[in-house]
Coordinates of all heavy atoms in Angstrom, one line a residue:
M1 N 127.1 -9.2 81.8 CA 128.0 -8.0 82.2 C 128.9 -8.4 83.4 O 128.4 -9.1 84.3 CB 127.2 -6.8 82.6 CG 126.3 -6.2 81.5 SD 127.3 -5.5 80.2 CE 126.8 -3.7 80.3
V2 N 130.1 -8.0 83.4 CA 131.1 -8.3 84.4 C 131.6 -7.0 85.0 O 131.9 -6.1 84.3 CB 132.2 -9.1 83.7 CG1 133.3 -9.4 84.7 CG2 131.7 -10.2 82.9
K3 N 131.5 -7.0 86.4 CA 131.9 -5.8 87.1 C 133.4 -5.8 87.2 O 134.1 -6.7 87.7 CB 131.3 -5.8 88.5 CG 130.1 -5.0 88.5 CD 129.6 -4.7 90.0 CE 128.2 -4.3 90.0 NZ 127.6 -3.8 88.8
I4 N 134.0 -4.6 86.7 CA 135.5 -4.4 86.9 C 135.7 -3.1 87.5 O 135.0 -2.1 87.3 CB 136.1 -4.4 85.5 CG1 135.9 -5.8 84.8 CG2 137.6 -4.1 85.6 CD1 136.5 -5.9 83.4
T5 N 136.6 -3.1 88.5 CA 136.9 -1.8 89.2 C 138.3 -1.4 88.7 O 139.2 -2.1 88.7 CB 136.9 -2.1 90.7 OG1 135.7 -2.5 91.2 CG2 137.3 -0.7 91.5
Y6 N 138.3 -0.2 88.2 CA 139.4 0.6 87.7 C 139.8 1.5 88.8 O 139.0 2.4 89.1 CB 139.2 1.2 86.4 CG 138.8 0.3 85.2 CD1 137.4 0.0 85.0 CD2 139.8 -0.2 84.3 CE1 137.1 -0.8 84.0 CE2 139.4 -1.0 83.3 CZ 138.1 -1.3 83.1 OH 137.7 -2.2 82.1
I7 N 141.0 1.4 89.3 CA 141.4 2.3 90.4 C 142.5 3.4 89.8 O 143.5 3.0 89.3 CB 142.1 1.5 91.5 CG1 141.1 0.4 92.0 CG2 142.5 2.4 92.7 CD1 141.8 -0.7 92.8
G8 N 142.1 4.6 89.9 CA 143.0 5.6 89.3 C 144.3 5.7 90.1 O 144.4 5.3 91.3
S9 N 145.3 6.4 89.6 CA 146.5 6.6 90.3 C 146.3 7.4 91.6 O 147.1 7.3 92.5 CB 147.6 7.2 89.4 OG 147.1 8.5 89.0
G10 N 145.3 8.2 91.7 CA 145.0 8.9 92.9 C 144.1 8.1 93.8 O 143.7 8.6 94.9
G11 N 143.7 6.9 93.5 CA 143.0 6.1 94.4 C 141.5 6.1 94.1 O 140.7 5.3 94.8
E12 N 141.1 6.9 93.2 CA 139.6 6.9 92.9 C 139.2 5.6 92.2 O 139.9 5.2 91.4 CB 139.1 8.2 92.1 CG 139.8 8.2 90.7 CD 141.2 8.7 90.6 OE1 141.9 8.7 91.6 OE2 141.7 8.9 89.5
E13 N 138.0 5.1 92.5 CA 137.5 3.9 91.9 C 136.4 4.1 90.9 O 135.5 4.9 91.2 CB 137.1 2.9 93.0 CG 138.2 2.6 94.0 CD 137.9 1.3 94.8 OE1 136.8 0.8 94.7 OE2 138.8 0.9 95.6
H14 N 136.5 3.4 89.8 CA 135.4 3.5 88.9 C 135.0 2.0 88.6 O 135.7 1.2 88.2 CB 135.9 4.1 87.5 CG 136.6 5.3 87.6 ND1 135.9 6.5 87.5 CD2 137.9 5.7 87.8 CE1 136.7 7.5 87.6 NE2 138.0 7.0 87.8
V15 N 133.7 1.7 89.0 CA 133.2 0.4 88.8 C 132.3 0.4 87.6 O 131.5 1.2 87.4 CB 132.4 0.0 90.0 CG1 131.8 -1.4 89.8 CG2 133.1 0.1 91.3
V16 N 132.7 -0.5 86.6 CA 132.1 -0.4 85.3 C 131.6 -1.9 85.0 O 132.3 -2.9 85.4 CB 133.2 -0.1 84.3 CG1 132.8 -0.3 82.8 CG2 133.6 1.4 84.6
D17 N 130.4 -1.9 84.3 CA 130.0 -3.2 83.8 C 130.4 -3.4 82.4 O 130.2 -2.5 81.5 CB 128.5 -3.3 83.8 CG 127.9 -3.3 85.3 OD1 128.4 -4.1 86.1 OD2 127.0 -2.5 85.6
V18 N 131.2 -4.4 82.1 CA 131.8 -4.7 80.9 C 131.1 -6.0 80.2 O 131.1 -7.0 81.0 CB 133.3 -4.8 80.9 CG1 133.9 -5.0 79.6 CG2 133.9 -3.5 81.6
D19 N 130.9 -6.0 79.0 CA 130.3 -7.2 78.3 C 131.4 -8.3 78.3 O 132.6 -7.9 77.9 CB 129.9 -6.9 76.9 CG 128.6 -6.2 76.8 OD1 127.7 -6.5 77.7 OD2 128.4 -5.3 76.0
A20 N 131.1 -9.5 78.5 CA 132.1 -10.6 78.3 C 132.5 -10.6 76.9 O 131.6 -10.3 76.0 CB 131.4 -11.9 78.7
G21 N 133.7 -10.9 76.6 CA 134.2 -10.9 75.2 C 134.9 -9.6 74.9 O 135.7 -9.6 73.9
R22 N 134.7 -8.5 75.6 CA 135.4 -7.2 75.4 C 136.7 -7.4 76.1 O 137.0 -8.4 76.9 CB 134.6 -6.0 75.9 CG 133.3 -5.9 75.4 CD 133.2 -5.6 73.9 NE 133.4 -4.3 73.6 CZ 133.5 -3.9 72.3 NH1 133.6 -4.8 71.3 NH2 133.6 -2.7 72.0
S23 N 137.6 -6.5 75.9 CA 138.8 -6.5 76.6 C 138.7 -5.5 77.8 O 137.9 -4.6 77.8 CB 140.1 -6.1 75.8 OG 139.9 -4.7 75.4
V24 N 139.7 -5.7 78.8 CA 139.6 -4.7 79.9 C 140.0 -3.4 79.4 O 139.4 -2.4 80.0 CB 140.7 -5.2 81.0 CG1 140.9 -4.2 82.1 CG2 140.2 -6.5 81.6
M25 N 140.7 -3.2 78.4 CA 141.0 -1.9 77.8 C 139.8 -1.3 77.3 O 139.4 -0.2 77.5 CB 142.1 -2.0 76.7 CG 142.4 -0.7 76.0 SD 141.3 -0.3 74.6 CE 141.8 -1.4 73.3
R26 N 139.0 -2.0 76.4 CA 137.7 -1.5 75.8 C 136.8 -1.1 76.9 O 136.1 -0.1 76.8 CB 137.1 -2.6 75.0 CG 137.8 -2.8 73.7 CD 137.2 -1.9 72.6 NE 138.0 -2.0 71.3 CZ 138.4 -0.9 70.7 NH1 138.1 0.3 71.1 NH2 139.1 -1.0 69.6
G27 N 136.7 -1.9 78.0 CA 135.8 -1.6 79.1 C 136.1 -0.3 79.6 O 135.2 0.5 80.0
A28 N 137.3 0.1 79.7 CA 137.7 1.5 80.3 C 137.4 2.6 79.2 O 136.8 3.5 79.5 CB 139.2 1.4 80.6
V29 N 137.9 2.4 78.0 CA 137.7 3.4 77.0 C 136.2 3.7 76.7 O 135.8 4.9 76.6 CB 138.5 2.9 75.7 CG1 138.2 3.9 74.6 CG2 140.0 2.9 76.0
E30 N 135.5 2.7 76.6 CA 134.0 2.8 76.3 C 133.2 3.3 77.4 O 132.0 3.7 77.3 CB 133.5 1.5 75.7 CG 134.1 1.1 74.4 CD 133.7 -0.3 74.0 OE1 133.0 -1.0 74.7 OE2 134.2 -0.7 72.8
N31 N 133.8 3.4 78.6 CA 133.1 3.9 79.8 C 133.7 5.1 80.4 O 133.6 5.4 81.6 CB 132.9 2.8 80.8 CG 131.9 1.8 80.3 OD1 130.8 1.9 80.4 ND2 132.4 0.6 79.9
D32 N 134.6 5.8 79.6 CA 135.2 7.1 79.9 C 136.0 7.0 81.3 O 136.1 7.9 82.0 CB 134.1 8.2 80.1 CG 133.4 8.4 78.8 OD1 134.0 8.4 77.7 OD2 132.2 8.7 78.9
V33 N 136.7 5.8 81.4 CA 137.7 5.7 82.5 C 138.9 6.4 82.0 O 139.5 5.9 81.1 CB 137.9 4.3 82.9 CG1 138.9 4.2 84.0 CG2 136.6 3.6 83.4
R34 N 139.3 7.5 82.7 CA 140.5 8.1 82.3 C 141.8 7.4 82.8 O 141.8 6.7 83.8 CB 140.6 9.6 82.9 CG 139.4 10.4 82.5 CD 139.4 11.8 83.1 NE 140.5 12.5 82.5 CZ 140.5 13.8 82.3 NH1 139.5 14.5 82.7 NH2 141.6 14.4 81.7
G35 N 142.8 7.4 81.9 CA 144.1 6.8 82.3 C 144.5 5.7 81.5 O 145.6 5.2 81.5
I36 N 143.5 5.1 80.6 CA 143.8 4.0 79.7 C 143.5 4.7 78.4 O 142.3 5.1 78.1 CB 142.9 2.8 80.0 CG1 143.4 2.2 81.3 CG2 143.1 1.8 78.8 CD1 142.7 0.9 81.6
I37 N 144.5 4.7 77.4 CA 144.3 5.4 76.2 C 143.9 4.3 75.1 O 143.0 4.5 74.3 CB 145.6 6.1 75.8 CG1 145.9 7.1 76.8 CG2 145.4 6.7 74.4 CD1 147.3 7.7 76.8
G38 N 144.6 3.3 75.0 CA 144.3 2.3 73.9 C 144.5 2.7 72.6 O 143.7 2.5 71.7
E39 N 145.6 3.4 72.3 CA 145.9 4.1 71.1 C 145.9 3.1 69.8 O 145.4 3.5 68.7 CB 147.3 4.8 71.1 CG 147.5 5.8 70.1 CD 148.8 6.6 70.5 OE1 148.7 7.4 71.4 OE2 149.8 6.3 69.9
C40 N 146.3 2.0 70.0 CA 146.4 1.1 68.8 C 145.1 0.2 68.6 O 145.0 -0.6 67.7 CB 147.7 0.2 68.9 SG 147.5 -1.2 70.1
G41 N 144.2 0.5 69.6 CA 142.9 -0.2 69.4 C 142.9 -1.6 69.9 O 141.9 -2.4 69.6
G42 N 144.0 -2.0 70.6 CA 144.0 -3.4 71.1 C 144.8 -4.3 70.3 O 144.8 -5.5 70.4
S43 N 145.7 -3.8 69.4 CA 146.6 -4.7 68.6 C 147.9 -5.0 69.2 O 148.8 -5.5 68.5 CB 146.8 -4.0 67.2 OG 145.5 -3.7 66.6
C44 N 148.1 -4.7 70.5 CA 149.3 -5.0 71.2 C 150.5 -4.3 70.5 O 151.5 -4.9 70.2 CB 149.5 -6.4 71.3 SG 150.6 -6.9 72.7
L45 N 150.3 -3.0 70.2 CA 151.4 -2.2 69.5 C 151.8 -0.9 70.2 O 152.9 -0.4 69.9 CB 150.9 -1.8 68.1 CG 150.6 -2.9 67.1 CD1 150.0 -2.4 65.8 CD2 151.9 -3.5 66.7
C46 N 151.0 -0.5 71.2 CA 151.3 0.8 71.7 C 151.6 1.0 73.2 O 152.3 1.9 73.6 CB 150.1 1.8 71.5 SG 148.6 1.4 72.5
A47 N 151.2 0.0 74.0 CA 151.4 0.0 75.4 C 150.7 1.2 76.2 O 151.2 1.5 77.3 CB 152.9 -0.1 75.8
T48 N 149.7 1.7 75.6 CA 149.0 2.8 76.3 C 147.8 2.4 77.1 O 146.9 3.1 77.4 CB 148.6 3.9 75.4 OG1 147.7 3.4 74.4 CG2 149.7 4.6 74.6
C49 N 147.8 1.0 77.3 CA 146.7 0.4 78.1 C 147.2 -0.4 79.3 O 146.6 -1.2 79.8 CB 145.9 -0.5 77.2 SG 147.0 -1.9 76.6
H50 N 148.4 0.2 79.8 CA 149.1 -0.5 80.9 C 148.3 -0.4 82.2 O 147.7 0.7 82.5 CB 150.4 0.2 81.1 CG 151.3 -0.2 82.3 ND1 152.1 0.5 82.9 CD2 151.3 -1.5 82.9 CE1 152.7 -0.2 83.8 NE2 152.2 -1.4 83.9
V51 N 148.1 -1.5 82.9 CA 147.4 -1.5 84.2 C 148.2 -2.5 85.1 O 149.1 -3.2 84.7 CB 146.0 -2.1 84.1 CG1 145.1 -1.1 83.3 CG2 146.0 -3.5 83.6
Y52 N 147.9 -2.3 86.5 CA 148.5 -3.2 87.4 C 147.3 -4.1 87.9 O 146.3 -3.5 88.4 CB 149.1 -2.5 88.6 CG 150.2 -1.5 88.2 CD1 150.0 -0.1 88.3 CD2 151.4 -2.0 87.7 CE1 151.0 0.8 87.9 CE2 152.5 -1.2 87.3 CZ 152.2 0.2 87.3 OH 153.2 1.1 87.0
V53 N 147.4 -5.3 87.7 CA 146.3 -6.3 88.1 C 146.5 -6.5 89.5 O 147.6 -6.9 90.0 CB 146.4 -7.6 87.2 CG1 145.4 -8.6 87.7 CG2 146.2 -7.2 85.8
D54 N 145.3 -6.4 90.2 CA 145.4 -6.8 91.7 C 146.0 -8.2 91.9 O 145.6 -9.1 91.1 CB 144.0 -6.7 92.2 CG 143.9 -7.0 93.7 OD1 144.4 -8.0 94.2 OD2 143.3 -6.1 94.4
P55 N 147.0 -8.3 92.7 CA 147.7 -9.6 92.8 C 146.7 -10.8 93.0 O 147.0 -11.9 92.6 CB 148.6 -9.4 94.0 CG 148.9 -7.9 94.0 CD 147.6 -7.3 93.6
A56 N 145.6 -10.5 93.7 CA 144.7 -11.6 94.0 C 144.1 -12.2 92.7 O 143.5 -13.3 92.6 CB 143.6 -11.2 94.9
W57 N 144.2 -11.5 91.6 CA 143.6 -11.8 90.3 C 144.6 -12.2 89.3 O 144.2 -12.7 88.2 CB 142.8 -10.6 89.8 CG 141.6 -10.3 90.5 CD1 141.4 -9.5 91.6 CD2 140.3 -10.8 90.3 NE1 140.1 -9.5 92.1 CE2 139.4 -10.3 91.3 CE3 139.8 -11.7 89.4 CZ2 138.1 -10.7 91.3 CZ3 138.5 -12.1 89.5 CH2 137.6 -11.6 90.4
L58 N 145.9 -12.2 89.6 CA 146.9 -12.5 88.6 C 146.8 -13.8 87.9 O 146.9 -13.9 86.7 CB 148.3 -12.4 89.2 CG 148.9 -10.9 89.0 CD1 150.3 -11.0 89.7 CD2 149.0 -10.4 87.6
D59 N 146.5 -14.8 88.7 CA 146.4 -16.2 88.0 C 145.1 -16.4 87.3 O 144.9 -17.4 86.7 CB 146.6 -17.2 89.1 CG 145.6 -17.2 90.2 OD1 144.8 -16.2 90.3 OD2 145.4 -18.1 91.0
R60 N 144.1 -15.4 87.4 CA 142.8 -15.6 86.7 C 142.8 -14.8 85.3 O 141.8 -15.1 84.6 CB 141.7 -15.3 87.6 CG 141.5 -16.3 88.6 CD 140.3 -15.9 89.5 NE 140.8 -15.3 90.7 CZ 140.0 -14.9 91.7 NH1 138.7 -14.9 91.5 NH2 140.5 -14.3 92.7
V61 N 143.7 -14.0 85.1 CA 143.7 -13.1 83.9 C 144.4 -13.7 82.7 O 144.3 -13.2 81.6 CB 144.1 -11.7 84.1 CG1 143.2 -11.0 85.1 CG2 145.6 -11.7 84.5
G62 N 145.0 -14.9 82.9 CA 145.6 -15.5 81.7 C 147.0 -15.1 81.6 O 147.5 -14.1 82.3
A63 N 147.8 -15.8 80.9 CA 149.3 -15.6 80.7 C 149.6 -14.5 79.7 O 148.7 -14.3 78.8 CB 149.9 -16.9 80.4
K64 N 150.7 -13.9 79.9 CA 151.1 -12.9 78.9 C 151.7 -13.6 77.7 O 152.3 -14.6 77.8 CB 152.3 -12.0 79.4 CG 151.8 -11.1 80.6 CD 153.1 -10.4 81.1 CE 153.1 -10.6 82.6 NZ 154.3 -10.2 83.2
S65 N 151.4 -13.1 76.5 CA 152.1 -13.6 75.2 C 153.5 -13.0 75.2 O 153.8 -12.1 75.9 CB 151.3 -13.1 74.0 OG 151.4 -11.7 73.8
E66 N 154.3 -13.6 74.4 CA 155.6 -13.1 74.2 C 155.6 -11.6 73.7 O 156.4 -10.8 74.1 CB 156.3 -14.0 73.1 CG 157.8 -13.8 73.1 CD 158.5 -14.7 72.2 OE1 158.1 -15.9 72.2 OE2 159.5 -14.3 71.5
T67 N 154.7 -11.3 72.8 CA 154.6 -9.9 72.3 C 154.3 -9.0 73.4 O 154.8 -7.8 73.5 CB 153.4 -9.9 71.2 OG1 153.8 -10.8 70.2 CG2 153.3 -8.5 70.6
E68 N 153.3 -9.3 74.3 CA 153.0 -8.5 75.4 C 154.2 -8.3 76.3 O 154.4 -7.2 76.8 CB 151.8 -9.1 76.2 CG 151.3 -8.1 77.3 CD 150.1 -8.7 78.1 OE1 149.6 -9.8 77.8 OE2 149.9 -8.1 79.2
E69 N 154.9 -9.4 76.6 CA 156.1 -9.3 77.5 C 157.1 -8.2 76.8 O 157.6 -7.4 77.6 CB 156.8 -10.7 77.5 CG 156.0 -11.7 78.2 CD 156.5 -11.9 79.7 OE1 157.1 -11.0 80.2 OE2 156.1 -12.9 80.3
L70 N 157.2 -8.3 75.6 CA 158.2 -7.4 75.0 C 157.7 -6.0 75.0 O 158.5 -5.0 75.3 CB 158.4 -7.8 73.4 CG 159.3 -9.0 73.2 CD1 159.2 -9.5 71.8 CD2 160.7 -8.8 73.6
L71 N 156.5 -5.7 74.7 CA 155.9 -4.4 74.7 C 155.9 -3.8 76.2 O 156.1 -2.6 76.3 CB 154.5 -4.5 74.1 CG 153.9 -3.1 73.6 CD1 154.9 -2.4 72.7 CD2 152.6 -3.4 73.0
L72 N 155.7 -4.7 77.2 CA 155.7 -4.1 78.6 C 157.0 -3.6 78.9 O 157.1 -2.7 79.8 CB 155.3 -5.3 79.5 CG 153.8 -5.5 79.7 CD1 153.5 -6.9 80.4 CD2 153.1 -4.4 80.4
E73 N 158.1 -4.0 78.3 CA 159.4 -3.4 78.6 C 159.5 -1.9 78.2 O 160.3 -1.2 78.7 CB 160.5 -4.1 77.8 CG 160.6 -5.5 78.4 CD 161.7 -6.4 77.5 OE1 162.3 -5.8 76.7 OE2 161.7 -7.6 77.7
E74 N 158.5 -1.4 77.4 CA 158.5 0.0 77.1 C 157.7 0.8 78.1 O 157.8 2.1 78.0 CB 157.8 0.1 75.7 CG 158.3 -0.7 74.6 CD 159.7 -0.4 74.3 OE1 160.1 0.8 74.2 OE2 160.6 -1.4 74.0
V75 N 156.9 0.3 79.1 CA 156.1 1.1 79.9 C 156.9 1.7 81.0 O 158.0 1.2 81.4 CB 155.0 0.3 80.5 CG1 154.1 -0.3 79.5 CG2 155.4 -0.7 81.5
C76 N 156.4 2.8 81.5 CA 157.0 3.5 82.7 C 156.6 2.6 84.0 O 155.5 2.1 84.1 CB 156.4 4.9 82.9 SG 156.7 5.9 81.7
D77 N 157.5 2.5 84.9 CA 157.2 1.9 86.1 C 156.6 0.4 86.0 O 155.5 0.1 86.5 CB 156.3 2.8 87.0 CG 156.4 2.4 88.5 OD1 157.3 1.6 88.9 OD2 155.5 2.7 89.2
L78 N 157.3 -0.4 85.3 CA 156.9 -1.8 85.1 C 157.0 -2.5 86.5 O 158.0 -2.4 87.2 CB 157.9 -2.5 84.1 CG 157.7 -4.0 83.9 CD1 156.3 -4.2 83.2 CD2 158.8 -4.5 83.1
Q79 N 156.0 -3.2 86.8 CA 155.9 -4.0 88.1 C 155.5 -5.4 87.8 O 155.1 -5.7 86.6 CB 154.9 -3.4 89.0 CG 155.3 -1.9 89.4 CD 154.3 -1.3 90.4 OE1 153.5 -2.0 91.0 NE2 154.5 0.0 90.6
P80 N 155.7 -6.3 88.7 CA 155.5 -7.7 88.5 C 154.0 -8.0 88.0 O 153.8 -9.0 87.3 CB 155.8 -8.4 89.8 CG 156.7 -7.5 90.5 CD 156.3 -6.1 90.1
N81 N 153.1 -7.2 88.4 CA 151.7 -7.4 88.1 C 151.2 -6.5 87.0 O 150.1 -6.2 86.7 CB 150.8 -7.1 89.3 CG 150.9 -5.8 89.9 OD1 151.9 -5.1 89.8 ND2 150.0 -5.4 90.7
S82 N 152.2 -5.9 86.2 CA 151.9 -5.1 85.0 C 151.3 -6.0 83.9 O 151.8 -7.1 83.6 CB 153.2 -4.5 84.5 OG 153.6 -3.4 85.4
R83 N 150.3 -5.4 83.3 CA 149.7 -6.1 82.1 C 149.2 -5.0 81.1 O 149.0 -3.9 81.5 CB 148.5 -7.0 82.5 CG 148.8 -8.2 83.3 CD 149.7 -9.2 82.5 NE 149.1 -9.6 81.3 CZ 148.3 -10.7 81.1 NH1 147.9 -11.5 82.0 NH2 147.8 -11.0 79.8
L84 N 149.0 -5.5 79.9 CA 148.4 -4.6 78.9 C 147.0 -5.0 78.9 O 146.6 -6.2 78.6 CB 149.1 -4.8 77.5 CG 150.5 -4.4 77.4 CD1 151.1 -4.6 76.0 CD2 150.7 -2.9 77.8
S85 N 146.1 -4.0 79.3 CA 144.7 -4.4 79.5 C 144.0 -4.8 78.2 O 142.9 -5.5 78.3 CB 144.0 -3.3 80.2 OG 144.1 -2.0 79.4
C86 N 144.6 -4.5 77.0 CA 143.9 -4.9 75.8 C 144.0 -6.5 75.5 O 143.4 -7.0 74.7 CB 144.4 -4.2 74.6 SG 146.1 -4.5 74.1
Q87 N 145.0 -7.0 76.4 CA 145.3 -8.4 76.2 C 144.6 -9.3 77.2 O 144.8 -10.4 77.3 CB 146.8 -8.7 76.3 CG 147.6 -7.9 75.1 CD 147.1 -8.3 73.8 OE1 147.3 -9.5 73.3 NE2 146.6 -7.3 73.0
I88 N 143.7 -8.6 78.0 CA 142.9 -9.4 79.0 C 141.5 -9.4 78.5 O 140.8 -8.3 78.5 CB 143.0 -8.8 80.4 CG1 144.5 -8.6 80.8 CG2 142.2 -9.6 81.4 CD1 144.7 -7.9 82.1
D89 N 141.0 -10.6 78.2 CA 139.6 -10.7 77.7 C 138.7 -10.9 78.9 O 139.0 -11.7 79.8 CB 139.5 -12.0 76.9 CG 140.3 -11.8 75.5 OD1 140.2 -10.6 75.0 OD2 140.8 -12.8 75.0
V90 N 137.7 -10.1 78.9 CA 136.7 -10.1 80.0 C 135.8 -11.4 79.9 O 135.4 -11.7 78.7 CB 135.8 -8.9 80.0 CG1 134.7 -9.0 81.0 CG2 136.7 -7.7 80.3
S91 N 135.7 -12.1 80.9 CA 134.8 -13.3 81.0 C 134.1 -13.3 82.3 O 134.5 -12.5 83.2 CB 135.6 -14.6 80.8 OG 136.3 -14.8 81.9
D92 N 133.1 -14.1 82.5 CA 132.4 -14.2 83.8 C 133.3 -14.5 84.9 O 133.1 -14.1 86.0 CB 131.3 -15.2 83.7 CG 130.1 -14.8 82.7 OD1 130.1 -13.6 82.5 OD2 129.3 -15.6 82.3
A93 N 134.4 -15.3 84.6 CA 135.4 -15.7 85.6 C 136.1 -14.4 86.2 O 136.7 -14.5 87.2 CB 136.4 -16.6 85.1
L94 N 136.0 -13.3 85.6 CA 136.7 -12.1 86.0 C 135.7 -11.1 86.8 O 136.1 -10.0 87.1 CB 137.3 -11.4 84.8 CG 138.5 -12.1 84.1 CD1 139.2 -11.2 83.1 CD2 139.6 -12.6 85.1
E95 N 134.5 -11.6 87.1 CA 133.6 -10.8 87.9 C 134.2 -10.2 89.2 O 134.8 -11.1 90.0 CB 132.3 -11.6 88.3 CG 131.4 -11.0 89.2 CD 130.7 -9.7 88.6 OE1 130.5 -9.8 87.4 OE2 130.2 -8.9 89.4
G96 N 134.4 -9.0 89.3 CA 135.0 -8.3 90.4 C 136.4 -8.0 90.3 O 137.1 -7.5 91.2
L97 N 136.9 -8.2 89.1 CA 138.4 -7.9 88.9 C 138.7 -6.4 89.2 O 137.9 -5.5 89.0 CB 138.7 -8.1 87.3 CG 140.0 -7.7 86.8 CD1 141.1 -8.6 87.4 CD2 140.1 -7.6 85.3
R98 N 139.9 -6.3 89.8 CA 140.4 -4.9 90.1 C 141.7 -4.6 89.4 O 142.6 -5.5 89.5 CB 140.5 -4.8 91.7 CG 139.2 -4.9 92.4 CD 139.4 -5.0 93.9 NE 139.9 -3.8 94.5 CZ 139.2 -2.7 94.8 NH1 138.0 -2.7 94.6 NH2 139.9 -1.6 95.4
V99 N 141.8 -3.5 88.7 CA 143.0 -3.1 88.2 C 143.4 -1.7 88.5 O 142.4 -0.9 88.7 CB 143.0 -3.3 86.6 CG1 142.8 -4.7 86.2 CG2 142.0 -2.4 86.0
R100 N 144.6 -1.4 88.8 CA 145.0 0.0 89.1 C 145.8 0.5 87.9 O 146.5 -0.1 87.2 CB 146.0 -0.1 90.4 CG 146.4 1.2 90.9 CD 146.9 1.0 92.3 NE 148.1 0.0 92.3 CZ 149.3 0.3 92.0 NH1 149.7 1.6 91.6 NH2 150.3 -0.6 91.9
L101 N 145.5 1.8 87.7 CA 146.1 2.5 86.6 C 147.4 3.2 86.9 O 147.6 3.7 88.1 CB 145.1 3.6 86.1 CG 143.7 3.1 85.8 CD1 142.8 4.2 85.1 CD2 143.7 1.8 85.0
P102 N 148.4 3.2 86.1 CA 149.6 3.9 86.3 C 149.4 5.4 86.4 O 148.5 5.9 85.8 CB 150.5 3.4 85.2 CG 149.7 3.1 84.1 CD 148.3 2.6 84.7
E103 N 150.4 6.1 86.9 CA 150.4 7.6 86.9 C 150.4 8.1 85.5 O 149.7 9.1 85.2 CB 151.5 8.1 87.6 CG 151.3 8.3 89.2 CD 152.3 8.9 90.0 OE1 153.0 9.8 89.4 OE2 152.5 8.6 91.1
K104 N 151.1 7.5 84.6 CA 151.1 7.8 83.2 C 151.3 6.7 82.3 O 151.9 5.7 82.7 CB 152.1 9.0 82.9 CG 153.5 8.6 83.2 CD 154.4 9.7 82.8 CE 155.9 9.3 82.9 NZ 156.8 10.3 82.5
Q105 N 150.8 6.8 81.1 CA 151.0 5.7 80.1 C 152.2 6.0 79.3 O 152.5 7.1 78.8 CB 149.8 5.6 79.1 CG 148.5 5.2 79.8 CD 148.5 3.7 80.2 OE1 149.4 2.9 79.8 NE2 147.5 3.3 81.1
V106 N 153.0 5.0 79.0 CA 154.3 5.0 78.3 C 155.2 6.1 78.5 O 155.4 6.6 79.5 CB 153.9 4.9 76.8 CG1 155.2 4.8 76.0 CG2 153.0 3.9 76.4
Ligands
LIG201 FE1 147.7 -0.7 72.3 FE2 146.9 -2.3 74.3 S1 145.8 -0.8 73.3 S2 148.8 -2.2 73.3

């Protein structure tokens, strides 16, 4: 299990244990973290799993695919650390990862 902290837009923190191999989106949805919808189930089609990755973690979460880059253009309040959480695979290397949720999805 890998500890991930999801920070709500109001600053509230939810610390969740997520199985390696799941996505950061799945970790939120399966643990009732509000603010991540994951409407397409992780197929990189909906952009309802937008998060802001803590800058200290950006180089550890892997690179964005071209598809993710294109879909991110659809989100509200795109920032340099914006990612689609369904595209981030949880691994032991992400123990302690922190992501902030946007005020609203898409
Ligand atoms: Fe649909 Fe991430 S869950 S793009």
Side-chain angles (χ1 to χ4, degrees):
M1 297 290 246
V2 179
K3 263 193 201 336
I4 298 180
T5 301
Y6 299 86
I7 306 163
S9 59
E12 67 281 10
E13 296 195 0
H14 305 271
V15 182
V16 171
D17 290 317
V18 181
D19 284 324
R22 305 299 274 170
S23 68
V24 171
M25 177 277 283
R26 284 269 174 228
V29 170
E30 292 171 358
N31 289 283
D32 300 321
V33 175
R34 299 181 71 149
I36 293 182
I37 300 166
E39 197 170 283
C40 75
S43 302
C44 205
L45 293 170
C46 70
T48 63
C49 62
H50 177 209
V51 296
Y52 302 111
V53 174
D54 184 305
W57 289 89
L58 268 181
D59 58 349
R60 284 181 263 181
V61 294
K64 291 175 232 174
S65 68
E66 195 175 321
T67 306
E68 182 181 353
E69 292 262 18
L70 286 171
L71 198 52
L72 276 168
E73 291 174 11
E74 307 297 320
V75 304
C76 299
D77 199 14
L78 179 66
Q79 296 182 13
N81 58 339
S82 287
R83 291 296 306 267
L84 297 178
S85 57
C86 70
Q87 301 301 299
I88 301 174
D89 292 327
V90 173
S91 69
D92 292 340
L94 296 187
E95 172 69 27
L97 173 68
R98 294 172 66 84
V99 297
R100 191 166 50 83
L101 309 187
E103 273 184 33
K104 62 178 184 173
Q105 292 288 349
V106 188

